[in-house]
Amino acid sequence: MGNDQKRTAGTMIVRLCLLVAFLGCRLPVVGTEEDSGPFSTPFPSPLNADALLSTNCSQLTLKLDFSTKVVKHEYIVAFNGYFTAKARSDFISSALRDVDAVNWRIVRRDNPASDYPSDFEVVEIRQDTRSSLLTLQDHPYIKRVTPQRMVLRSLKLTDPGTDGASPCNDIRWVQKWQSSRPLRRTSLSLGSGFWHATGRHSSRRLLRAIPRHVAQILQADVLWQMGHTGSGVKVAVFDTGLSEKHPHFKNVKERTNWTNEKTLDDGLGHGTFVAGVIASMRECQGFAPDSELHIFRVFTNNQVSYTSWFLDAFNYAILKKIDVLNLSIGGPDFMDHPFVDKVWELTANKVIMVSAIGNDGPLYGTLNNPADQMDVIGVGGIDFEDNIARFSSRGMTTWELPGGYGRVKPDIVTYGSGVRGSGLKEGCRSLSGTSVASPVVAGAVTLLASTVLNRELVNPASMKQALIASARRLPGVNMFEQGHGKLDLLRAYQILNSYKPQASLSPSYIDLTECPYMWPYCSQPIYYGGMPTIVNVTILNGMGVTGRIVDKPIWQPYLPQNGDYVDVAVSYSPVLWPWAGYLAISVSVAKKAASWEGIAQGHVMVTVASPAENDVSNTGEMTSTVKLPVKVKIVPTPPRSKRILWDQYHNLRYPPGYFPRDNLRMKNDPLDWNGDHIHTNFRDMYQHLRSMGYFVEVLGAPITCFDASQYGTLLMVDSEEEYFPEEITKLRRDIDNGLSLIIFSDWYNTSVMRKVKFYDENTRQWWMPDTGGANVPALNDLIAVWGMAFSDGLYEGDFTMADHDMYYASGCSIARFPEDGIVVAQTLKDQGLEVLKQETAVVENVPVLGLYQTPSEGGGRIALYGDSNCIDDSHRQKDCFWLLDALLQYTSYSMTPPSLTHSKNRVVPPTGTDRPLPQRLEGNHLYRYSKVLEAHLGDPKPRPLPACPHLSWAKPQPLNETLKKYKYYMKILKRRK
């Protein structure tokens, strides 16, 4: 199990402030060798703000477009500490002197941070760039070198169409989605209008709500009447600026400009809106009108920003001792080290950071960074009827998936649909999105901080503890949608003003019987022999920025409640910093409960210690012991035929590598970034399988690490990873002994992969995707022993199979299959030809489905299908759960579906002799992100097979806790919700 400190290096992506109603994202870098060509993105002309204001609002729909571009020859040089301008110059000079670089200069940054030591510099290098960069990176005081980038956003007027007129205070803002990896959004084929987006992001409609004053709804006026109005709290808004004489604000302490424009005013309106939600004193009142408002203008009126502007502004926020900072920005790249490092540094300096969780709902596994970090308050959105907003991103966090399981996020939810805030120059307007919910919480946090007499007790952990402990749980909503619940300002006030420094846990208990809140844990009971259930708990440490776990966590089963039927293993952060860490709980069933059914209970005890920053006892260290109640439902081990094993180990995702979407038509969301997990973008499939009585477990280790005799079917979907030779050997043996295999593949075509290439910022070279939608050559290695293979054909189309309407979305075909197998073909369009040559062709008898009974006595069965989009929530148009049911009937029970075997589309199995099988793309960089491959003299080779994970089960310390006492404790916990 990893933690925030373990994130590996990834390509740096610029974070974007959201301009209007939707949360922005990290933007792509696109271009060609000469900055022109098929995949370059022109910078659109920005819409003049004055023209916008003078236009009749009832005739407008506004569209937000993004583009970004590497700044030629400019690099951000990050240092290992803060140094004066002279010291930074000396370090760079000494490094470049070794390569005789003469044509370089330090770019002048004329902003309020220029007079202070800094931890980075912007350098222009115009000769022998590669050797100069390598030399800079080797300097002992230089941490990393990344390209400088320019980001441009633009508003465009569009025809409101059939939606009719929109009042000025309820403008509909439509976001054109941009990913954080460099792929063009406008076309995947040259000069063709074919690739127009129809995905969630471009067609999403905002939920409408009657405009209301959100501060009064959350009862901020009660605290105002008590004399609390945000006084003495410094709150920073990183956005588009604010006009000097805006009538809504009376305590703008400082406006700073980090752009290259000579103005501090907001020419767009988004920064004004956010500031108004936090601190407006009239009309659409904010939460903390007397707070010290610090405006950081980080975008120009032309909607341009640079990476270095953000870094300088963050440093200045630390210098000015900002208390609360609102970031209505985000993106999927949790491996963006310069940004993540700076967020850690900000919170370590007691800056309470509030950030929007993202607008990529209702899909699961869509959390945005930095809101997904443990030290940041991540905010989701609800409407005024307390429904989770459809656009609000859902958990879990996904960067921990290679090591186990994600964490609960968002932290809390609040109003984010139809919220009123300050207009550009006066009056109010209504906007929606989690970027609106974020300043609602930032304003509430600012107000709450002003109510605490001892401000030393207020820090990022204690504030989050107060918010989540006081949050009102929404009925019928799970924890990956609502976090701890809806913001309750007055209850948070009560908790914060009686607060004593302590540690706490999120979630505060584990109850695998509590549905729907504890979904997905509550959706499947546990049993002996199953893969351990992993619950990733966040430790919040309100005692100090650093901390540690004393000794080891203790597992204490309740004997009267059958706690001895449960085995528990615990792993945890070696250091809690900043303000937080993880506690990974693995739960399994003891052998003696293999045939038992019932409820088992116990708790885990954890003691956290921190340096005594606020300890009045002067003992040198503060400690806090917390109890994590655990309750599970145990059932007898299900029969083998009912058990499905999902292969998670061989699924790779963005970041860190460039793994494209499985459906090439989804050009507005081309990155495979949702985790490919049964509880994220395959959630609906998982729910369906559970409803059919199957038990689904997750394999997070190599194929060599599970007992195949326990499972009926191994399910492999959209696999991007390679396979160890030992895995291939074991799988053959397992299938000979009765294990069955279902594979849902996806497209893989090296010519198409070259077509969707991108320009890598770090190496200044063209890079291709590391795989296609799936790693077909690796899958072919896996199934070659049975005479099977997938092709590099790329097909799309609608068809009917067994009286079900189907849609094939960028799938491949079956190139080779045993002659005694069953193969079903369909008539499809050649999508590869369409992408490469903009030509249309229909291909008949494309083999898409294959069924095969292996010849060995008692051997298992194999089913292949060439497309996974019909079971993937990301861009599914027509589900094929019926097909999955039929395949499982075949693999688990040897029941051949008559509708498939007697289909008129059944064809003779292909021999694969007419064309070569797909080969791996020459020069791909999969080894950089692979758990299987490693570099070897320019020819990647398999690593040594890793040892299988071994859990160290905690020695139980049984308690004779009575059920009455346990129920009393749980009642107290749930009453707080």
Side-chain angles (χ1 to χ4, degrees):
M1 181 62 58
N3 62 14
D4 278 325
Q5 287 100 325
K6 291 184 179 179
R7 299 180 184 187
T8 58
T11 303
M12 178 177 178
I13 306 295
V14 177
R15 310 297 176 108
L16 292 183
C17 166
L18 174 68
L19 178 61
V20 285
F22 280 121
L23 175 70
C25 62
R26 247 116 329 122
L27 302 185
V29 175
V30 284
T32 67
E33 293 88 338
E34 300 299 329
D35 281 328
S36 62
F39 289 90
S40 62
T41 298
F43 291 115
S45 301
L47 179 68
N48 181 277
D50 291 333
L52 172 63
L53 290 171
S54 63
T55 308
N56 183 352
C57 293
S58 64
Q59 303 302 316
L60 294 182
T61 297
L62 299 179
K63 185 175 182 179
L64 178 61
D65 286 326
F66 293 134
S67 58
T68 186
K69 182 179 182 180
V70 170
V71 180
K72 280 190 176 181
H73 311 301
E74 288 190 12
Y75 299 87
I76 295 175
V77 179
F79 298 94
N80 290 322
Y82 284 81
F83 300 99
T84 64
K86 184 179 186 306
R88 301 194 304 269
S89 176
D90 290 344
F91 294 152
I92 294 171
S93 298
S94 64
L96 294 180
R97 192 178 301 122
D98 294 337
V99 291
D100 296 325
V102 293
N103 196 4
W104 66 273
R105 70 181 182 90
I106 293 176
V107 178
R108 178 179 173 82
R109 308 198 311 274
D110 187 12
N111 60 51
S114 303
D115 297 330
Y116 300 93
S118 178
D119 60 346
F120 78 96
E121 197 66 86
V122 179
V123 180
E124 182 184 75
I125 304 175
R126 290 187 172 273
Q127 68 173 43
D128 196 15
T129 303
R130 186 170 183 80
S131 61
S132 299
L133 295 181
L134 292 173
T135 303
L136 281 171
Q137 290 172 334
D138 288 339
H139 193 279
Y141 287 103
I142 293 176
K143 182 162 57 176
R144 66 173 61 87
V145 181
T146 53
Q148 166 82 305
R149 281 177 295 177
M150 179 177 69
V151 181
L152 184 137
R153 309 171 301 173
S154 67
L155 287 172
K156 292 183 177 180
L157 292 175
T158 61
D159 185 355
T162 59
D163 293 309
S166 297
C168 288
N169 66 354
D170 193 20
I171 292 175
R172 291 178 294 113
W173 301 85
V174 182
Q175 179 192 14
K176 181 180 176 183
W177 169 261
Q178 299 285 357
S179 82
S180 51
R181 264 313 235 207
L183 284 174
R184 192 183 180 191
R185 298 299 178 272
T186 53
S187 177
L188 283 176
S189 61
L190 299 179
S192 169
F194 176 78
W195 297 94
H196 288 300
T198 56
R200 302 175 283 116
H201 301 288
S202 59
S203 61
R204 184 191 298 122
R205 300 293 179 124
L206 288 174
L207 302 182
R208 292 180 180 269
I210 299 172
R212 303 171 69 180
H213 296 301
V214 68
Q216 286 89 337
I217 292 172
L218 289 170
Q219 298 182 281
D221 50 337
V222 174
L223 298 183
W224 298 341
Q225 292 166 11
M226 297 168 61
H228 305 300
T229 55
S231 179
V233 180
K234 300 178 181 179
V235 56
V237 175
F238 278 60
D239 219 290
T240 56
L242 177 68
S243 299
E244 181 180 9
K245 297 181 179 179
H246 197 290
H248 287 186
F249 305 97
K250 64 178 178 180
N251 196 16
V252 179
K253 192 71 173 181
E254 184 178 27
R255 297 183 305 147
T256 52
N257 178 33
W258 304 87
T259 75
N260 56 13
E261 290 182 339
K262 302 301 180 182
T263 180
L264 293 162
D265 292 344
D266 182 2
L268 299 170
H270 188 263
T272 303
F273 180 90
V274 170
V277 171
I278 296 172
S280 173
M281 68 174 180
R282 60 169 55 95
E283 294 186 90
C284 35
Q285 286 183 285
F287 286 83
D290 287 323
S291 60
E292 291 186 9
L293 197 54
H294 293 253
I295 303 299
F296 288 72
R297 187 176 186 270
V298 291
F299 275 91
T300 68
N301 285 335
N302 285 338
Q303 302 153 60
V304 174
S305 186
Y306 290 84
T307 304
S308 59
W309 294 354
F310 271 96
L311 298 182
D312 268 333
F314 284 144
N315 284 340
Y316 191 69
I318 295 172
L319 289 168
K320 301 301 287 187
K321 299 187 183 301
I322 294 298
D323 298 307
V324 181
L325 194 155
N326 181 76
L327 279 177
S328 289
I329 67 170
D333 190 358
F334 49 76
M335 290 184 174
D336 181 355
H337 263 267
F339 195 86
V340 171
D341 288 351
K342 192 57 66 176
V343 169
W344 286 337
E345 186 178 351
L346 282 159
T347 59
N349 282 276
K350 298 187 74 171
V351 178
I352 300 171
M353 184 171 291
V354 182
S355 186
I357 208 69
N359 287 338
D360 299 300
L363 185 64
Y364 281 66
T366 52
L367 300 175
N368 282 219
N369 182 266
D372 66 343
Q373 292 182 211
M374 290 185 281
D375 53 323
V376 174
I377 299 172
V379 184
I382 59 175
D383 62 25
F384 284 110
E385 284 72 47
D386 288 353
N387 302 306
I388 298 294
R390 181 176 174 84
F391 56 73
S392 188
S393 288
R394 272 70 165 169
M396 59 184 159
T397 61
T398 57
W399 59 264
E400 301 97 338
L401 284 179
Y405 203 77
R407 288 174 290 108
V408 175
K409 281 278 183 168
D411 294 304
I412 58 171
V413 293
T414 194
Y415 301 121
S417 184
V419 173
R420 285 169 63 80
S422 299
L424 178 61
K425 295 185 177 179
E426 61 182 358
C428 301
R429 65 196 302 189
S430 174
L431 295 178
S432 298
T434 55
S435 69
V436 174
S438 180
V440 170
V441 172
V445 166
T446 303
L447 178 58
L448 288 168
S450 72
T451 70
V452 181
L453 293 177
N454 184 0
R455 296 283 175 87
E456 288 299 315
L457 295 178
V458 179
N459 58 55
S462 64
M463 182 59 72
K464 184 186 283 193
Q465 287 172 327
L467 292 177
I468 66 178
S470 61
R472 297 277 184 180
R473 185 171 298 174
L474 301 176
V477 181
N478 71 54
M479 60 186 179
F480 289 148
E481 292 182 318
Q482 66 169 310
H484 292 266
K486 172 187 171 183
L487 172 67
D488 189 321
L489 184 62
L490 296 187
R491 291 178 73 188
Y493 162 76
Q494 293 168 352
I495 291 175
L496 197 60
N497 278 271
S498 60
Y499 180 80
K500 291 180 173 54
Q502 60 189 276
S504 65
L505 304 174
S506 170
S508 57
Y509 64 93
I510 299 171
D511 187 347
L512 274 58
T513 70
E514 184 186 1
C515 269
Y517 181 70
M518 279 281 171
W519 186 92
Y521 300 109
C522 65
S523 63
Q524 180 168 292
I526 62 175
Y527 41 85
Y528 174 69
M531 293 290 174
T533 296
I534 303 172
V535 184
N536 195 352
V537 177
T538 299
I539 305 171
L540 296 172
N541 178 24
M543 298 179 291
V545 64
T546 62
R548 62 184 177 87
I549 292 180
V550 178
D551 298 324
K552 292 182 178 179
I554 300 171
W555 164 238
Q556 296 187 293
Y558 302 158
L559 294 183
Q561 283 73 53
N562 312 299
D564 55 331
Y565 285 176
V566 175
D567 293 327
V568 169
V570 182
S571 61
Y572 50 88
S573 301
V575 177
L576 309 180
W577 184 91
W579 308 105
Y582 71 86
L583 179 73
I585 308 294
S586 297
V587 183
S588 201
V589 177
K591 186 176 183 180
K592 61 183 177 181
S595 301
W596 181 80
E597 181 171 357
I599 304 297
Q601 298 174 183
H603 68 242
V604 176
M605 296 287 289
V606 183
T607 299
V608 175
S610 267
E613 297 179 13
N614 299 308
D615 183 16
V616 295
S617 63
N618 295 318
T619 59
E621 193 172 55
M622 298 180 68
T623 61
S624 176
T625 299
V626 289
K627 179 188 294 187
L628 181 72
V630 177
K631 182 179 181 182
V632 301
K633 181 180 181 181
I634 298 174
V635 297
T637 302
R640 180 183 189 183
S641 59
K642 284 289 186 182
R643 295 177 64 179
I644 300 170
L645 189 61
W646 170 271
D647 178 21
Q648 186 68 35
Y649 186 80
H650 295 93
N651 287 340
L652 301 177
R653 54 147 293 167
Y654 171 85
Y658 173 21
F659 299 104
R661 274 285 186 211
D662 307 320
N663 184 351
L664 285 175
R665 200 172 284 280
M666 296 298 109
K667 69 185 182 66
N668 273 16
D669 189 14
L671 295 168
D672 198 350
W673 66 283
N674 305 126
D676 285 347
H677 192 279
I678 58 173
H679 299 152
T680 58
N681 53 307
F682 288 93
R683 175 180 182 268
D684 289 352
M685 181 209 71
Y686 166 76
Q687 292 287 81
H688 175 81
L689 291 176
R690 287 295 298 129
S691 71
M692 298 300 295
Y694 291 102
F695 294 82
V696 189
E697 302 172 38
V698 176
L699 177 64
I703 292 173
T704 53
C705 295
F706 77 97
D707 180 2
S709 67
Q710 299 294 312
Y711 300 93
T713 301
L714 175 64
L715 182 56
M716 308 181 76
V717 180
D718 186 22
S719 302
E720 295 91 357
E721 181 61 279
E722 294 284 336
Y723 298 89
F724 292 103
E726 296 89 342
E727 291 184 290
I728 297 174
T729 301
K730 179 178 183 291
L731 183 62
R732 177 182 181 182
R733 184 170 63 249
D734 290 342
I735 291 179
D736 285 344
N737 291 328
L739 177 71
S740 291
L741 173 67
I742 296 177
I743 296 177
F744 281 78
S745 184
D746 276 299
W747 70 274
Y748 185 99
N749 182 287
T750 55
S751 296
V752 172
M753 291 162 68
R754 291 187 180 95
K755 188 74 171 181
V756 294
K757 63 186 176 180
F758 69 87
Y759 191 62
D760 183 76
E761 310 100 295
N762 292 316
T763 63
R764 300 281 173 127
Q765 295 176 351
W766 283 99
W767 286 58
M768 311 298 167
D770 297 306
T771 69
N775 190 341
V776 166
L779 286 172
N780 286 347
D781 288 346
L782 190 70
I783 59 179
V785 67
W786 296 286
M788 301 177 183
F790 290 104
S791 78
D792 64 356
L794 205 165
Y795 301 97
E796 178 202 28
D798 295 288
F799 58 89
T800 299
M801 182 185 290
D803 295 325
H804 293 271
D805 291 335
M806 301 282 285
Y807 175 65
Y808 212 67
S810 305
C812 66
S813 65
I814 296 173
R816 182 181 298 169
F817 209 73
E819 62 180 7
D820 55 341
I822 299 169
V823 173
V824 175
Q826 298 293 338
T827 299
L828 298 169
K829 291 185 290 187
D830 187 337
Q831 194 178 32
L833 184 67
E834 194 164 16
V835 173
L836 296 172
K837 297 183 178 180
Q838 299 82 60
E839 297 176 3
T840 301
V842 175
V843 183
E844 296 182 348
N845 294 325
V846 178
V848 297
L849 175 67
L851 307 177
Y852 179 65
Q853 168 68 61
T854 59
S856 59
E857 184 178 352
R861 289 154 292 281
I862 301 174
L864 306 182
Y865 189 66
D867 179 31
S868 73
N869 284 280
C870 58
I871 58 173
D872 186 340
D873 301 346
S874 297
H875 296 295
R876 186 178 64 243
Q877 296 188 28
K878 298 174 183 177
D879 76 67
C880 63
F881 297 148
W882 72 269
L883 176 61
L884 181 58
D885 291 342
L887 298 183
L888 285 168
Q889 286 290 309
Y890 176 68
T891 58
S892 296
Y893 300 101
S894 191
M895 296 174 59
T896 306
S899 60
L900 298 178
T901 57
H902 300 122
S903 170
K904 64 179 181 180
N905 298 107
R906 183 172 174 176
V907 297
V908 175
T911 60
T913 57
D914 55 333
R915 57 187 297 180
L917 296 179
Q919 301 297 308
R920 291 167 178 82
L921 180 66
E922 184 178 353
N924 76 78
H925 301 101
L926 181 62
Y927 67 90
R928 295 179 178 174
Y929 323 110
S930 171
K931 301 181 287 291
V932 176
L933 298 179
E934 63 182 356
H936 181 74
L937 300 177
D939 183 20
K941 301 291 184 183
R943 305 172 189 266
L945 180 70
C948 295
H950 174 72
L951 291 174
S952 180
W953 300 105
K955 184 178 180 180
Q957 298 184 15
L959 292 175
N960 284 314
E961 292 277 354
T962 65
L963 183 59
K964 182 177 179 181
K965 184 175 180 180
Y966 176 83
K967 286 183 176 179
Y968 175 74
Y969 183 74
M970 290 301 296
K971 185 177 181 180
I972 292 175
L973 275 179
K974 292 182 180 180
R975 185 182 298 161
R976 293 175 181 172
K977 296 297 179 186

